[in-house]
Amino acid sequence: MSEAGTYTVEDGIGIIMIDSPPVNALGFKTRVALDEGFRKFAADDSVQAIVLICGGRTFFAGADISEFGKPPQGPGLHEVFNIIENGAKPVVAAIHGTALGGGYELALICHYRIAVPSAKVGLPEVNLGLLPGAGGTQRLPRIVGVEKALEIVTTGAPVPARKALDMGMIDALAEEDRLKDDAVAFARTMLDKPLVRVRDRQDKVAPSRGHPEIYADFLKKNARAFRGFKAPFNIVKAIEASAEIEDFDKGLAREAELFQELVASTESAAQRYYFFAERETSKVPDVPAATPTIPVKTVGVIGAGTMGGGITMNFLNIGVPVTLVEMKQEALDRGIAVIRRNYENTVAKGRMTAEQVEQRMALITPALGLDALAEADLVIEAVFEEIGVKQQVFGQLDTICKPGAILASNTSFLDLDAIAAATSRPEWVIGLHFFSPANVMRLLEVVRGEKTAIEVIATAMKLARQIGKVPVLAGVCHGFIANRIMSPRGRQADALILEGPTPAEVDKALYDYGFAMGPFQMIDLVGLDVIGRDEIERSVRGDLVKIDRLGQKKNGGYYDYDEKRNATPSPVAAELIADFARYKGINSSGSLPAEEIVARLLYPVVNEGAKVLEEGIAIRASDIDVAAILGYNWPVYTGGPMFWADTIGLPKIIAGLEAIGIEPAALLRTMATEGKTFTRG
Ligand code: 3HC
Ligand code: NAI
């Protein structure tokens, strides 16, 4: 008998219960159990209908992602599906938790779908660089129509049960804690009805037949979101096939072909790697899963500026009260007004109610002075980036905060150990480095000081997930992981524009690589004066600031702007760059191919990543990739700098670094010599 399935009969209704923790993925064990259960009930004359239900926290979470790319084992998904679909007895899928990907495709094979109101169904394969390859692209349009299917499958967003019911994605709702009984009762009502198979339906797809403009328009509308990815384009083709190819099996064959193309692509390999990488970050070798955590019921945030405000919102959103501290009433009022305005913008977009805003705002206790933090379980400091100021704040916190309070700093670059040394309890001090805007960006670097206690680390890692962040553990160094590895990119860009390539060429190369914008577009957007007007060494940026070219907000920067903020290359900036190159004695050698620009800017990022790894600042290469992807919008379909380096080949990275006079990290050399990779063993 299979390990994952139990098969019982209740008065003529066969119940197949699958329990394969953690998420009932459709791996080998689960397929065997399904195969066994359906064969058994097909042969059992006492069984008139079948309910398929899952144990544990969810219905099937889809195909087992870890099996992709490995030789197939046991009964295939299609084989199992065929037994169900071609069977003579009605099958009801009883859904709780999430029915995702292959899991929802399995539900679509069943004749009926019933779900509890808290359940969600969907086809998230796009996030893995794939398309639903078990009939989802052919069956879903037959239920919801082509237009809705395009939206659902290309966004991959799970659909809540009530909405799914409205669209026909499920047939009935069960009571929250009566799923099995309601499914059995539902099955009974279907005994005398003819079997309904989704594959036989034409009514929803036929009206779209012969309308290629539907797909062309859809691709045009989503051009920005789809840029660089492969999967959305194949998804659109597969859904088009569901309407254009009347013969269901031929449509399935087209789906299979498009799926195979994706499975074999680097983009999908990168996205599947990223799926696991994002989950892996919480595992810290010397912080066992059973490490006790500290309850955090109240939070204090110091500084209501750009970061403090966003950090505060994260906690308000999960109902945790925040005491927000500033030095002056005016700064406090301004900070709180910004938080309110952010929430009101969300209301305007229809994603929050006015009442929810008030509930969140009521959780803020404004305060002047640190004394108000005596009872906070966690205090996060987000004051000016100056070591003296931070040490003074932590020295005071040490005398004010209760024993057992976690004292965190949001510093971007400063030495956390030096901050912790200002207290008598460095083991309670940790870095919580948010990225701007802190209420939006999903990366949270958890910085581990020399003395930080493992309970404090475990608490931070858990809390991060609770506020919807992905925690990446970093050791203490200048810039931690994301800022540190990305800084060579900026330095190389500044150097490169003196050698011939223009800012526009550099930006375009990085945009085409997949970044949302290049470094010079970025500086123009945030303002050139963020570096301050008192830099000692002369630089192109400093020279632009001197002539009041501060970027988009004033007179243009590296680019000129029209009144609609459209950028054009700036002759003034070009002249200034040429002048600076002369001053430095650098001769222009003209423009470079995009590939070389990318290598010049991004190989040094890989090199810095290797250093971060060899110094033990990051636990694993995949953490570096997660930090780059979530902190700097590095294109996920490349897998991040370290996965990308493996794709290119480490010897080539080394040669590229040497060609620009950068000494490759020792780890990079060793790995290349030993034929190893950062991310693929
Ligand atoms: N295959 C293999 N492992 C999976 C998995 C899957 N489909 N889904 C989740 N897991 C693993 C996770 O890696 C994690 O492992 P770990 O504990 O060792 O780190 C564990 O299950 C629990 O996962 P989460 O931490 O994500 O648990 P949550 O409760 O937060 O979320 C979930 C549950 C919503 C189901 C979420 O895991 C999820 O979104 N899973 C992926 C769903 C998906 O993409 N399905 C499509 C798969 S591709 C497919 O079906 C192709 C088909 O069309 C042919
Ligand atoms: P900010 O200047 O916008 O805000 C700092 C606030 O702290 C000001 O409102 C100031 O009045 C207040 N403040 C200063 N000393 C104080 C004290 N002793 N008590 C109470 N309030 C005090 O600065 P921002 O950008 O929010 O940065 C804060 C910290 O976050 C810095 O350490 C910065 O390096 C870090 N950081 C900044 C990021 C960014 O993109 N802006 C990203 C990640 C981290």
Side-chain angles (χ1 to χ4, degrees):
M1 219 185 85
S2 130
E3 300 164 45
T6 43
Y7 320 114
T8 51
V9 182
E10 278 184 22
D11 197 16
I13 309 294
I15 299 166
I16 297 179
M17 153 79 84
I18 305 288
D19 196 355
S20 177
V23 294
N24 291 310
L26 291 159
F28 170 66
K29 244 180 18 184
T30 313
R31 294 195 305 271
V32 169
L34 286 168
D35 185 71
E36 189 178 314
F38 279 100
R39 281 184 201 279
K40 181 177 160 73
F41 286 152
D44 183 342
D45 288 340
S46 76
V47 171
Q48 295 167 283
I50 300 164
V51 166
L52 173 60
I53 192 165
C54 286
R57 64 195 208 232
T58 180
F59 195 72
F60 305 97
D64 187 332
I65 305 165
S66 63
E67 284 185 356
F68 287 128
K70 295 184 186 154
Q73 220 195 339
L77 213 47
H78 284 286
E79 257 171 82
V80 177
F81 282 15
N82 284 341
I83 304 175
I84 302 175
E85 193 165 51
N86 299 327
K89 301 173 184 179
V91 180
V92 179
I95 301 169
H96 76 293
T98 43
L100 297 179
Y104 182 60
E105 292 175 291
L106 174 51
L108 286 175
I109 297 278
C110 298
H111 305 97
Y112 306 99
R113 291 150 289 284
I114 180 168
V116 292
S118 61
K120 289 182 181 169
V121 300
L123 297 169
E125 284 87 343
V126 68
N127 300 322
L128 302 167
L130 296 172
L131 55 76
T137 65
Q138 305 306 295
R139 287 191 180 84
L140 185 65
R142 281 174 162 76
I143 290 182
V144 301
V146 158
E147 266 107 348
K148 284 205 184 101
L150 285 170
E151 206 64 51
I152 293 168
V153 188
T154 57
T155 62
V159 183
R162 282 182 207 285
K163 200 169 163 208
L165 180 68
D166 289 344
M167 285 197 280
M169 290 176 77
I170 60 173
D171 304 295
L173 283 180
E175 276 191 43
E176 200 63 56
D177 48 5
R178 280 181 44 94
L179 179 61
K180 191 192 82 184
D181 292 346
D182 285 357
V184 168
F186 183 89
R188 256 186 241 296
T189 64
M190 294 299 156
L191 292 180
D192 327 317
K193 310 236 165 82
L195 284 183
V196 184
R197 298 195 309 175
V198 176
R199 61 180 283 145
D200 299 330
R201 287 180 60 175
Q202 285 293 329
D203 54 311
K204 294 278 184 181
V205 285
S208 303
R209 198 158 293 148
H211 289 286
E213 71 284 0
I214 298 175
Y215 314 98
D217 291 350
F218 185 75
L219 286 174
K220 203 166 147 204
K221 193 175 86 186
N222 290 288
R224 248 179 84 177
F226 295 170
R227 184 172 74 92
F229 291 92
K230 263 205 164 72
F233 297 92
N234 280 25
I235 288 170
V236 171
K237 285 183 201 162
I239 291 179
E240 182 169 8
S242 77
E244 295 305 315
I245 307 177
E246 239 180 294
D247 180 331
F248 187 81
D249 288 321
K250 287 204 177 120
L252 271 190
R254 177 72 178 132
E255 178 192 87
E257 187 180 65
L258 291 163
F259 180 82
Q260 282 312 327
E261 239 176 70
L262 293 178
V263 175
S265 71
T266 309
E267 287 83 351
S268 174
Q271 288 180 263
R272 280 173 292 164
Y273 155 81
Y274 179 73
F275 175 86
F276 289 112
E278 203 183 286
R279 282 157 176 80
E280 187 85 3
T281 65
S282 294
K283 294 171 192 156
V284 181
D286 66 337
V287 182
T291 307
T293 55
I294 300 147
V296 175
K297 299 210 177 74
T298 57
V299 171
V301 173
I302 313 172
T306 311
M307 296 306 288
I311 292 169
T312 299
M313 291 173 75
N314 287 300
F315 293 98
L316 304 181
N317 291 346
I318 60 159
V320 171
V322 177
T323 303
L324 185 55
V325 177
E326 262 290 348
M327 292 186 293
K328 296 210 175 97
Q329 189 64 43
E330 199 192 331
L332 195 52
D333 293 345
R334 197 177 336 114
I336 292 175
V338 172
I339 294 177
R340 178 175 282 282
R341 200 163 58 240
N342 280 337
Y343 280 136
E344 281 167 358
N345 286 340
T346 313
V347 174
K349 288 182 197 143
R351 292 206 299 257
M352 195 182 272
T353 64
E355 196 192 342
Q356 286 170 321
V357 177
E358 296 316 319
Q359 281 164 359
R360 284 168 170 73
M361 295 307 293
L363 291 171
I364 305 180
T365 306
L368 296 174
L370 303 178
D371 289 338
L373 301 174
E375 290 309 313
D377 298 317
L378 162 69
V379 174
I380 305 174
E381 163 280 310
V383 305
F384 304 131
E385 183 78 347
E386 281 171 37
I387 188 74
V389 178
K390 300 221 189 242
Q391 283 178 324
Q392 199 194 1
V393 166
F394 274 75
Q396 275 180 273
L397 288 177
D398 193 28
T399 63
I400 294 168
C401 294
K402 65 180 183 188
I406 299 175
L407 310 181
S409 173
N410 181 47
T411 181
S412 311
F413 292 97
L414 299 174
D415 179 350
L416 185 77
D417 292 325
I419 296 173
T423 73
S424 63
R425 39 173 141 172
E427 58 289 359
W428 294 92
V429 176
I430 194 164
L432 291 180
H433 182 217
F434 290 79
F435 286 71
S436 182
N439 55 318
V440 176
M441 297 294 278
R442 287 179 65 226
L443 178 63
L444 178 63
E445 285 183 343
V446 174
V447 185
R448 171 182 202 158
E450 202 191 338
K451 299 200 172 129
T452 311
I454 61 169
E455 292 79 5
V456 174
I457 296 170
T459 305
M461 301 305 272
K462 183 171 153 202
L463 193 62
R465 299 275 179 192
Q466 284 167 349
I467 58 172
K469 307 289 180 201
V470 178
V472 170
L473 193 72
V476 175
C477 67
H478 187 75
F480 312 120
I481 300 176
N483 285 343
R484 172 169 165 188
I485 61 162
M486 293 308 286
S487 62
R489 183 183 72 162
R491 282 199 297 275
Q492 292 299 328
D494 287 344
L496 193 56
I497 55 170
L498 302 180
E499 297 169 24
T502 63
E505 282 166 346
V506 172
D507 283 343
K508 182 168 185 323
L510 279 207
Y511 176 83
D512 289 345
Y513 178 84
F515 286 96
M517 59 180 84
F520 300 106
Q521 289 164 312
M522 178 66 117
I523 298 164
D524 269 8
L525 182 68
V526 296
L528 277 70
D529 50 341
V530 291
I531 53 154
R533 286 170 187 263
D534 48 13
E535 292 240 315
I536 302 158
E537 240 184 89
R538 209 184 136 190
S539 66
V540 169
R541 202 180 310 177
D543 285 1
L544 285 166
V545 171
K546 274 191 206 116
I547 57 169
D548 217 24
R549 287 184 68 90
L550 303 184
Q552 287 196 19
K553 64 182 171 190
K554 200 152 176 222
N555 301 332
Y558 286 91
Y559 294 87
D560 288 335
Y561 295 89
D562 64 17
E563 58 290 349
K564 287 189 182 147
R565 297 208 166 184
N566 290 316
T568 43
S570 163
V572 179
E575 184 45 46
L576 189 145
I577 291 165
D579 180 58
F580 189 79
R582 275 192 297 275
Y583 160 77
K584 285 277 203 182
I586 299 166
N587 291 325
S588 164
S589 47
S591 52
L592 279 180
E595 198 192 340
E596 283 180 41
I597 295 177
V598 167
R600 171 78 183 261
L601 266 61
L602 301 187
Y603 286 8
V605 174
V606 172
N607 199 39
E608 202 61 37
K611 287 185 190 166
V612 158
L613 206 54
E614 73 189 9
E615 289 168 24
I617 297 296
I619 299 174
R620 49 181 86 82
S622 62
D623 282 6
I624 299 174
D625 286 333
V626 172
I629 288 167
L630 295 183
Y632 275 83
N633 290 323
W634 188 293
V636 63
Y637 50 79
T638 68
M642 310 316 278
F643 186 92
W644 178 64
D646 288 341
T647 310
I648 291 175
L650 301 188
K652 189 168 168 193
I653 303 272
I654 289 176
L657 287 167
E658 284 170 338
I660 54 174
I662 292 183
E663 177 56 28
L667 179 67
L668 197 48
R669 281 202 195 279
T670 327
M671 291 181 68
T673 314
E674 293 174 2
K676 287 195 181 141
T677 61
F678 287 114
T679 61
R680 295 165 218 197

